[in-house]
Amino acid sequence: MNIKYRPLKAFLLAVDTGSFTHAANQLGVTQPSFTALIQDLEDVLGLRLFERTTRSISLTSAGQDFHARVQRPIADLEEAYRGLADLAAVRRGNVTLGALPSTALALLPVAVGALRQRHPALKVRVVEAHNDELVAMLRTNQIEFAVGALAEPAPDLSFTPLAQDCFCAIYPAGHALGKKRGPLHWRDVLRYDLILLSQGSNARQQFDRAVREETGAPATALRYDVTNMGTAAGMVRQGLGVSVLPRLALPELNLAGLRAAALCDASARRAIGLLHRRDRSLSPAAQALAVQLETAMDEIARRLLPLPPLK
């Protein structure tokens, strides 16, 4: 049995309006075409659904039974179609995004704010985590996509670059680092007490990797581990040492009384982008958010320290 949606919809409209003529107008077809739809349905079912006269229509007993059975399923089907249409048109939807703390601080407020203006019904959940945790959550479907760094090759993940970022030395005004001529390198920072982001952070991973690769680097006298970038800046302001923070986050931090200088080592660079599983397509809501993230990054880039040449 091959029953199509359009004859069923014609049947329900005829019942609701009590007239083939009015039902045909609502369906947007001529009355002969509408009558043919009802006839096709009756032929498929092998039953007469309507008693018809020149002035009125009424349901047969079989028609009454069929109407009782088909009314709810068709309503559910139409609701399902409307729901999917809303998702496709980004009129509603949910998206869970993971983000590095530095990108969450600088990028997400701008992007999510713009998304809400354009698509107020969308709901966004943000999960801040270290880069390794973001990758693990992507692979286990805890988040749909992430703003992070591709620290190592991952064939199962797609990476769409947003920007090149670098790490910057943060030090008090008048500090010796500010008097150094020429480019600033990791080895210059290592001469001083350091206030570093905690183990597991992308910034700390790149710092530790760079220090291991340095030959003849001076030993750091003291290190403080902190979780929050604002805490690091506050400790630098108190003269407790020098910090190394992502360039992307600096416009959102309180750097009053402090100076920032970008490091010129290749190992102080990182690519920031959108990560998601290759075997899964982004939902329309996630695609809409990705567009706003790209736009926000373009706007934020104008306020960042210029990237130094690699030396």
Side-chain angles (χ1 to χ4, degrees), residues 140-156:
T140 54
N141 296 319
Q142 296 178 64
I143 56 177
E144 187 170 357
F145 72 119
V147 185
L150 192 61
E152 56 188 28
D156 60 324

Side-chain angles (χ1 to χ4, degrees), residues 256-275:
L258 304 180
R259 300 292 181 267
L263 299 174
C264 297
D265 304 272
S267 57
R269 292 282 181 94
R270 64 176 183 173
I272 296 294
L274 303 180
L275 289 154

Side-chain angles (χ1 to χ4, degrees), residues 28-310:
V29 298
T30 64
Q31 185 168 340
S33 296
F34 186 89
T35 302
L37 288 172
I38 298 297
Q39 184 63 58
D40 289 343
L41 181 61
E42 290 178 329
D43 290 344
V44 169
L45 295 173
L47 292 168
R48 190 173 181 82
L49 299 174
F50 290 99
E51 297 290 356
R52 298 187 282 271
T53 69
T54 56
R55 294 186 178 183
S56 66
I57 61 171
S58 61
L59 286 172
T60 64
S61 60
Q64 293 173 357
D65 182 70
F66 186 65
H67 180 259
R69 292 174 182 272
V70 80
Q71 187 176 22
R72 183 70 260 170
I74 293 299
D76 290 342
L77 179 63
E78 291 176 341
E79 177 60 29
Y81 271 106
R82 283 193 293 270
L84 289 175
D86 285 344
L87 288 176
V90 203
R91 289 188 290 267
R92 68 176 183 87
N94 300 280
V95 57
T96 302
L97 168 70
L100 292 172
S102 57
T103 63
L105 178 65
L107 190 59
L108 262 59
V110 178
V112 175
L115 182 75
R116 182 168 185 176
Q117 288 184 345
R118 289 164 176 78
H119 306 287
L122 292 188
K123 296 180 180 179
V124 179
R125 177 173 174 257
V126 178
V127 179
E128 291 186 48
H130 296 321
N131 209 72
D132 289 348
E133 295 171 319
L134 293 178
V135 170
M137 285 189 284
L138 279 172
R139 287 173 171 155
T140 54
N141 296 319
Q142 296 178 64
I143 56 177
E144 187 170 357
F145 72 119
V147 185
L150 192 61
E152 56 188 28
D156 60 324
L157 299 180
S158 172
F159 180 76
T160 304
L162 285 176
Q164 280 288 320
D165 195 22
C166 72
F167 292 96
C168 300
I170 310 299
Y171 51 87
H175 192 276
L177 279 177
K179 301 173 184 177
K180 181 182 180 298
R181 294 181 179 274
L184 201 63
H185 295 280
W186 287 115
R187 65 174 63 91
D188 301 313
V189 174
L190 293 175
R191 300 178 185 277
Y192 305 99
D193 293 346
L194 291 176
I195 301 158
L196 301 174
L197 296 180
S198 59
Q199 293 283 351
S201 68
N202 183 248
R204 183 59 175 271
Q205 288 174 342
Q206 289 202 219
F207 173 86
D208 290 342
R209 189 182 305 117
V211 170
R212 287 196 300 269
E213 294 171 356
E214 286 283 341
T215 56
T220 301
L222 184 64
R223 294 185 185 177
Y224 299 95
D225 282 2
V226 299
T227 301
N228 189 280
M229 287 176 283
T231 303
M235 293 178 71
V236 173
R237 190 175 294 108
Q238 293 301 314
L240 296 174
V242 171
S243 189
V244 178
L245 298 177
R247 179 183 71 130
L248 183 60
L250 299 187
E252 303 303 321
L253 295 175
N254 176 13
L255 297 182
L258 304 180
R259 300 292 181 267
L263 299 174
C264 297
D265 304 272
S267 57
R269 292 282 181 94
R270 64 176 183 173
I272 296 294
L274 303 180
L275 289 154
H276 72 90
R277 286 178 51 162
R278 288 188 183 277
D279 62 348
R280 292 182 178 270
S281 299
L282 290 181
S283 67
Q287 292 176 35
L289 179 53
V291 169
Q292 296 308 322
L293 287 166
E294 292 172 357
T295 302
M297 183 63 82
D298 290 340
E299 295 173 0
I300 291 168
R302 303 187 187 102
R303 298 189 287 131
L304 298 177
L305 288 174
L307 278 174
L310 296 175

